[in-house]
């Protein structure tokens, strides 16, 4: 009956269309598939849990604030961001951290009416747990767990009432046999008092086969099914050799036996020249849906050429099947697909999280608060921005993106390798050190900054490329007036085009075919993705200036 209803809706929708283009759009919107990645752009290290009939998913944010986005879905297909776990400065100290330090690999779990997130602050106080009865927040301040030495903690609630915390840790006696030799350890955990119990035990040493020098066993989770405890973890490092592996035991403390057909997920052995490759798959979490089917979320990457990608590590999803009592990713072959059938023929809705190809997002600053998806670089310790009269006002400040500070920077993830970002801005200055515009930012040493400033008392538009602890001028052009200006960056895979338009004029090229690979993870390194941001700075000097942004628009074309 459900399938008949879906077909009926589909037919009625087609009948109402007046032309071929409308029919194609209806077919794309109603077909019962979901698109991978389910969260596009820099949304790595996914973890998922189920509470009632809803599902909740979180990701790493590293040195961006607020930390740990929370997504909700009632069907595993249509996702909405409902908040951030670490949205108060007292919860998250990112001061002085490198961009790829900070919030590593959160894990979300639900037990007896309470949500828990465990996580690591690399470069900070290390491992912690927070809790809330409402996934929208507020979440508690962190309870630090100093005994958990390592990264990627995850809670497991056993059906006998006991709780455990499992994590990646050092080699035995902190004496690794080779580079990348790690262990998976576990404590019993007192969830009421947020403290470990007893001593830790090593559950996995080295990985699936220490004799083969398997590396970087991490991101562990434990599940219980049919009398077995399943320990699932990533292995191989988070680049092209990434994978997901699984072990099982009849006892929560082990011994854990490696699955003979490991890995259960990887793309490392495939033809590098295949069409539209998805790479680096791993760091997974699995969930049983309300109808008894299993699904796995995991990170992956979409390179545009020669394994360059600017969008970071993204969240993908695929079905899970059980073979001989082992969980295996059911990819429909060896390759992770860009589309899979939705759970239980659920329809993808247009208003779901923007992950279905071509779309436009425009923020016109009509609300008094920024949406959950906006990012600050490190923890803001003062309120240096405001929304009023349909504009975002950002105070020009001395802090810059070249230093490990909290600059006047409000960003949005680059989610596609082809598309554009644009904004309209009002900014005037008489000082050449004062600048405002938009930045394509990967880290303090890898960014492009298009900005308005002044030279010899006359307004100019400039394009800078990052240099060591600074930036160098690529090009500048004079502006005809000091009125509003529109700025635009076009992403075309391996190239960016930088454009500008003075008031009531058409866009013109400032610089085209600028090397986008400079901002790729392959060149810039790290664990994040490119962020498009509104940014203003006085480059270390005192100022009282401000920049006004009237709107901010993202268009994605792939």
């Amino acid at each position: 009956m459900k399938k008949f209803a879906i077909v009926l809706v589909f037919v009625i929708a087609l009948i109402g269309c007046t032309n071929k283009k409308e029919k194609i759009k209806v077919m794309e919107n109603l077909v019962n598939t979901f698109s991978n990645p389910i969260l596009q752009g820099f949304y790595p290290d996914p973890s998922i849990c189920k509470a009632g009939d809803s599902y909740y998913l979180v990701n790493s944010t590293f040195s961006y604030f607020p930390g740990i986005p929370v997504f909700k879905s009632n069907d595993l297909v249509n996702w909405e961001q409902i908040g951030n776990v670490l949205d108060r400065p007292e919860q998250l100290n990112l001061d002085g951290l490198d961009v790829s330090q900070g919030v590593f690999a959160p894990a979300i779990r639900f037990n007896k009416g309470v949500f828990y997130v465990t996580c690591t602050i690399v470069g900070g106080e290390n491992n912690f747990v927070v809790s809330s009865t409402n996934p929208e927040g507020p979440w508690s301040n962190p309870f630090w767990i100093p005994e958990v030495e390592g990264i990627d903690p995850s809670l497991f609630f056993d059906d006998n009432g006991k709780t455990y915390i499992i994590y990646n840790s050092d080699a035995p006696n902190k004496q690794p046999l080779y580079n990348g030799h790690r262990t998976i350890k576990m404590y019993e955990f007192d969830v009421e008092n947020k403290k470990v119990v007893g001593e830790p035990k090593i559950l996995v040493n080295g990985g699936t086969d220490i004799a083969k020098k398997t590396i970087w066993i991490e991101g562990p989770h434990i599940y219980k099914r049919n009398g077995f405890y399943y320990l699932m973890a990533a292995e191989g490092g988070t680049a092209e050799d990434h994978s997901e592996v699984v072990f099982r035991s009849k006892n929560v403390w082990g011994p854990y036996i490696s699955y003979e057909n490991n890995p259960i997920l990887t793309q490392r052995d495939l033809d590098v020249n295949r069409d539209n490759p998805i790479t680096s798959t791993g760091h997974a979490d699995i969930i049983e849906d309300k109808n008894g089917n299993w699904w796995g979320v995991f990170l992956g990457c979409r390179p545009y050429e020669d394994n360059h990608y600017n969008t970071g590590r993204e969240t993908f999803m695929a079905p899970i099947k059980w073979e001989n009592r082992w969980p295996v990713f059911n990819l429909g072959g060896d390759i992770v697909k860009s589309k899979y059938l939705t759970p239980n023929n659920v329809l993808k809705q247009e208003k779901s999280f923007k992950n279905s190809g071509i779309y436009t997002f425009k923020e016109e600053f009509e609300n008094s608060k920024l949406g959950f998806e906006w990012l600050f670089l490190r923890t803001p310790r003062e309120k240096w921005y405001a929304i009023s009269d349909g504009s975002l006002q950002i105070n020009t400040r001395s802090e810059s993106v070249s230093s490990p500070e909290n600059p006047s920077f409000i960003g949005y993830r680059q989610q596609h390798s082809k598309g554009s970002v644009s904004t309209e801005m009002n900014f005037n200055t008489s000082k050449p050190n004062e600048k405002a515009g938009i930045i394509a930012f990967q880290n303090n040493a890898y960014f492009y900054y298009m900005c308005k400033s002044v030279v010899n008392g006359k307004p100019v538009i400039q394009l800078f490329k990052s240099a060591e602890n600074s930036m160098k001028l690529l090009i500048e052009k004079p502006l005809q007036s000091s009125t509003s200006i529109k700025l635009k960056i076009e992403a075309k895979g391996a190239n960016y085009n930088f454009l500008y338009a003075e008031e009531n004029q058409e866009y013109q090229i400032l610089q085209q075919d600028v090397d986008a690979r400079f901002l790729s993870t392959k060149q810039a390194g790290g664990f994040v993705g490119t962020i498009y941001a509104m940014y203003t700075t006085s480059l270390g000097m005192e100022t009282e200036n401000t920049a006004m942004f009237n709107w901010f628009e993202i268009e994605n074309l792939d």
Side-chain angles (χ1 to χ4, degrees):
M1 182 62 69
K2 182 182 291 185
K3 290 183 179 179
F4 173 77
I6 291 170
V7 172
L8 182 61
V9 170
F10 181 71
V11 171
I12 292 172
L14 284 180
I15 291 173
C17 296
T18 59
N19 58 54
K20 184 178 179 180
K21 287 186 177 180
E22 286 186 1
K23 289 181 179 181
I24 290 172
K25 185 174 182 180
V26 167
M27 291 173 69
E28 289 176 344
N29 289 339
L30 291 181
V31 69
N32 59 341
T33 60
F34 65 86
S35 299
N36 267 323
I38 62 169
L39 302 180
Q40 294 181 336
F42 155 50
Y43 289 104
D45 308 328
S47 177
I48 192 169
C49 75
K50 182 174 178 289
D53 289 333
S54 298
Y55 307 89
Y56 300 88
L57 189 152
V58 296
N59 301 96
S60 299
T61 42
F62 297 92
S63 286
Y64 287 99
F65 183 95
I68 313 180
V70 182
F71 293 91
K72 179 182 179 181
S73 174
N74 293 324
D75 51 29
L76 290 171
V77 175
N78 298 289
W79 292 93
E80 176 188 8
Q81 187 173 355
I82 60 172
N84 294 282
V85 173
L86 305 175
D87 59 1
R88 305 188 303 275
E90 67 267 22
Q91 291 175 298
L92 181 58
N93 181 5
L94 299 170
D95 298 351
L97 297 187
D98 291 339
V99 174
S100 285
Q101 292 184 300
V103 177
F104 271 52
I108 186 168
R109 293 294 182 257
F110 177 76
N111 185 64
K112 296 181 179 179
V114 181
F115 292 87
Y116 300 88
V117 169
T118 47
C119 194
T120 311
I121 305 295
V122 172
E125 293 189 63
N126 216 32
N127 291 295
F128 67 90
V129 60
V130 292
S131 62
S132 177
T133 56
N134 183 352
E136 297 180 12
W139 291 75
S140 70
N141 285 341
F143 293 87
W144 299 100
I145 318 169
E147 297 86 354
V148 175
E149 297 181 345
I151 60 173
D152 303 357
S154 177
L155 292 177
F156 170 63
F157 294 92
D158 206 344
D159 52 18
N160 63 5
K162 290 191 175 183
T163 304
Y164 304 89
I165 188 166
I166 185 172
Y167 58 101
N168 159 302
S169 192
D170 297 313
N173 301 315
K174 297 187 178 181
Q175 296 181 356
L177 301 178
Y178 51 87
N179 185 36
H181 177 195
R182 302 287 290 177
T183 62
I184 300 298
K185 293 182 181 179
M186 189 172 76
Y187 274 102
E188 187 178 343
F189 192 70
D190 179 349
V191 73
E192 296 297 325
N193 295 301
K194 311 295 191 298
K195 295 181 178 179
V196 300
V197 176
E199 297 297 322
K201 181 179 179 179
I202 294 175
L203 304 186
V204 176
N205 183 14
T208 52
D209 189 348
I210 194 171
K212 294 181 179 179
K213 297 184 178 181
T214 46
I215 61 171
W216 305 121
I217 190 78
E218 59 191 358
H221 301 293
I222 288 181
Y223 318 90
K224 190 174 185 180
R225 186 174 190 264
N226 294 333
F228 282 102
Y229 294 90
Y230 293 90
L231 192 166
M232 199 173 75
E235 188 178 79
T238 193
E240 294 77 40
D241 288 336
H242 208 195
S243 70
E244 193 72 16
V245 297
V246 66
F247 310 78
R248 77 181 184 191
S249 173
K250 282 287 189 179
N251 189 303
V252 70
W253 289 105
Y256 280 89
I257 306 302
S258 176
Y259 179 40
E260 62 180 4
N261 293 321
N262 273 323
I264 60 172
L265 172 68
T266 191
Q267 301 286 276
R268 64 188 174 207
D269 300 319
L270 302 180
D271 182 359
V272 296
N273 296 314
R274 65 192 184 276
D275 292 337
N276 302 314
I278 294 167
T279 68
S280 309
T281 55
H283 201 107
D285 200 0
I286 61 176
I287 195 78
E288 183 180 11
D289 71 19
K290 62 189 73 174
N291 294 294
N293 302 306
W294 285 75
W295 301 84
V297 292
F298 54 96
L299 71 80
C301 304
R302 294 177 293 157
Y304 48 80
E305 65 172 42
D306 192 27
N307 207 41
H308 289 88
Y309 52 88
N310 296 31
T311 46
R313 301 171 303 152
E314 307 172 286
T315 293
F316 291 73
M317 187 171 79
I320 296 287
K321 61 181 177 180
W322 290 84
E323 292 185 343
N324 299 319
R325 295 189 174 185
W326 290 97
V328 178
F329 278 84
N330 186 14
L331 303 179
D334 295 330
I335 296 175
V336 174
K337 306 298 189 296
S338 62
K339 290 184 181 293
Y340 286 100
L341 292 177
T342 60
N344 310 303
N345 291 311
V346 169
L347 297 183
K348 183 75 175 70
Q349 303 298 320
E350 284 190 20
K351 292 184 179 180
S352 177
F353 186 80
K354 312 169 194 69
N355 71 329
S356 54
I358 298 173
Y359 73 86
T360 298
F361 162 80
K362 189 170 186 179
E363 174 63 74
E364 296 184 300
F365 306 113
E366 297 174 338
N367 297 320
S368 60
K369 294 183 179 180
L370 290 171
F372 297 130
E373 67 271 25
W374 292 97
L375 294 171
F376 299 83
L377 186 53
R378 304 184 187 87
T379 308
R381 298 295 180 183
E382 58 182 277
K383 186 72 178 295
W384 42 256
Y385 71 95
I387 298 175
S388 63
D389 299 324
S391 294
L392 174 64
Q393 175 181 307
I394 303 180
N395 295 342
T396 306
R397 296 159 59 241
S398 62
E399 289 83 354
S400 81
V401 297
S402 298
S403 301
E405 305 170 300
N406 169 240
S408 294
F409 168 114
I410 300 178
Y412 195 98
R413 294 163 176 85
Q414 179 182 346
Q415 294 177 297
H416 295 258
S417 61
K418 295 180 181 179
S420 67
V421 57
S422 55
T423 189
E424 183 181 67
M425 178 186 74
N426 292 86
F427 177 75
N428 292 303
T429 181
S430 60
K431 300 177 181 178
N433 62 292
E434 295 184 351
K435 304 178 187 301
I438 54 175
I439 187 170
F441 180 84
Q442 179 71 241
N443 59 48
N444 65 296
Y446 291 86
F447 61 82
Y448 291 113
Y449 183 32
M450 179 169 53
C451 57
K452 183 179 179 181
S453 189
V454 66
V455 172
N456 297 324
K458 296 183 179 181
V460 294
I461 182 74
Q462 300 173 317
L463 177 62
F464 289 92
K465 179 181 181 179
S466 56
E468 186 175 357
N469 299 318
S470 183
M471 55 187 187
K472 62 180 180 180
L473 182 66
L474 296 183
I475 190 172
E476 73 179 19
K477 292 185 178 181
L479 296 173
Q480 301 304 312
S481 68
S482 296
T483 56
S484 67
I485 187 170
K486 289 186 285 189
L487 305 172
K488 186 174 187 178
I489 303 173
E490 294 178 338
K492 296 182 176 294
N495 295 294
Y496 289 123
N497 294 335
F498 293 84
L499 306 92
Y500 69 99
E502 296 193 66
E503 190 172 30
N504 299 321
Q505 296 183 17
E506 297 296 318
Y507 279 109
Q508 56 183 302
I509 292 288
L510 176 61
Q511 186 87 310
Q512 63 182 0
D513 296 331
V514 177
D515 186 9
R517 294 169 299 182
F518 179 69
L519 300 189
S520 69
T521 299
K522 186 173 183 177
Q523 287 199 27
F527 302 128
V528 300
T530 297
I531 304 296
Y532 293 139
M534 297 164 285
Y535 167 53
T536 178
T537 180
S538 59
L539 297 176
M541 301 179 69
E542 292 297 319
T543 178
E544 295 183 356
N545 208 346
T546 60
M548 299 288 291
F549 294 86
N550 300 323
W551 48 262
F552 181 95
E553 184 174 54
I554 295 274
E555 183 180 28
N556 292 298
L557 299 175
D558 62 352

